Amino acid sequence: MAKFYENEKSETNKKSDLRIKAIENGTVIDHIPCGQAFNVLKIMGINENFKKTVSFVMNAVGSRGGKDVVKIEGMELTEKQVAAISLIAPNATVNIIRDYNVISKTQIKTPNEIHGIIKCINPNCITNSKEPIQTSFKVESESYDESILRCKYCDSIISDDIVKHLF
């Protein structure tokens, strides 16, 4: 069984333990559903041009079952990023690291409404016109592997591949 070490102070000689170098300052997102780590990186705007250290584990075994974990050196999440991540990983936790210590650990909560993050799938929706109207979706339901969003303006529903609808 692989283990994720937040703080490298404990020593072990077991070859079966997976060690990921501790970060000095940044963010660790834990309990991401298996296979969603790349989508979390996309939401955070991390691509080949990002110059800080990024580590991630996919399909690790954790106390709650399979999971992905993402660690980003020198970056903290914005409220918009947390809201977007909550749509694909509503049970994730966000750990803020400073001087190699976890200073806060927060369970992500999906908001009841999402504003300005998701593009409506209806091409005739007023939010897709030249009018200066920000998108707004009501979160109809959210679960470990799926969220259902309803457009406030046209009642269109988005439930599949939410990441491809992000701005």
Side-chain angles (χ1 to χ4, degrees):
M1 176 165 82
K3 292 184 179 178
F4 172 75
Y5 289 93
E6 187 57 52
N7 194 328
E8 295 283 350
K9 291 180 183 175
S10 65
E11 292 296 324
T12 183
N13 291 325
K14 293 181 182 178
K15 290 186 179 184
S16 64
D17 290 343
L18 174 64
R19 290 186 171 253
I20 300 173
K21 187 176 184 264
I23 58 175
E24 183 175 1
N25 297 297
T27 302
V28 176
I29 306 164
D30 197 0
H31 304 290
I32 301 166
C34 289
Q36 293 293 332
F38 287 119
N39 288 330
V40 169
L41 294 173
K42 178 181 176 183
I43 288 168
M44 296 180 69
I46 295 174
N47 58 30
E48 66 276 0
N49 298 319
F50 190 76
K51 301 297 183 208
K52 306 263 180 165
T53 301
V54 176
S55 304
F56 62 94
V57 176
M58 294 180 71
N59 304 315
V61 176
S63 60
R64 300 184 207 169
K67 67 179 182 176
D68 290 357
V69 180
V70 173
K71 295 174 81 170
I72 306 99
E73 181 78 37
M75 183 180 193
E76 292 185 17
L77 299 174
T78 66
E79 285 184 40
K80 268 187 155 180
Q81 289 169 327
V82 171
I85 290 169
S86 77
L87 297 174
I88 61 168
N91 295 316
T93 56
V94 176
N95 301 292
I96 303 300
I97 312 298
R98 296 217 180 104
D99 296 321
Y100 297 101
N101 294 305
V102 177
I103 63 154
S104 74
K105 183 174 186 169
T106 308
Q107 175 77 39
I108 285 184
K109 292 187 75 130
T110 304
N112 294 328
E113 292 188 0
I114 303 288
H115 305 283
I117 296 173
I118 303 287
K119 181 178 170 128
C120 186
I121 61 171
N122 179 357
N124 296 321
C125 181
I126 193 163
T127 61
N128 288 323
S129 69
K130 298 206 186 287
E131 298 294 325
I133 296 175
Q134 183 181 48
T135 62
S136 182
F137 288 86
K138 180 173 180 5
V139 178
E140 297 279 318
S141 75
E142 46 108 358
S143 66
Y144 184 73
D145 59 353
E146 167 184 294
S147 293
I148 298 173
L149 309 176
R150 181 180 300 275
C151 179
K152 175 181 167 182
Y153 299 102
C154 72
D155 284 333
S156 291
I157 293 190
I158 300 175
S159 62
D160 294 326
D161 205 5
I162 289 175
V163 173
K164 77 177 188 183
H165 301 289
L166 293 170
F167 281 113

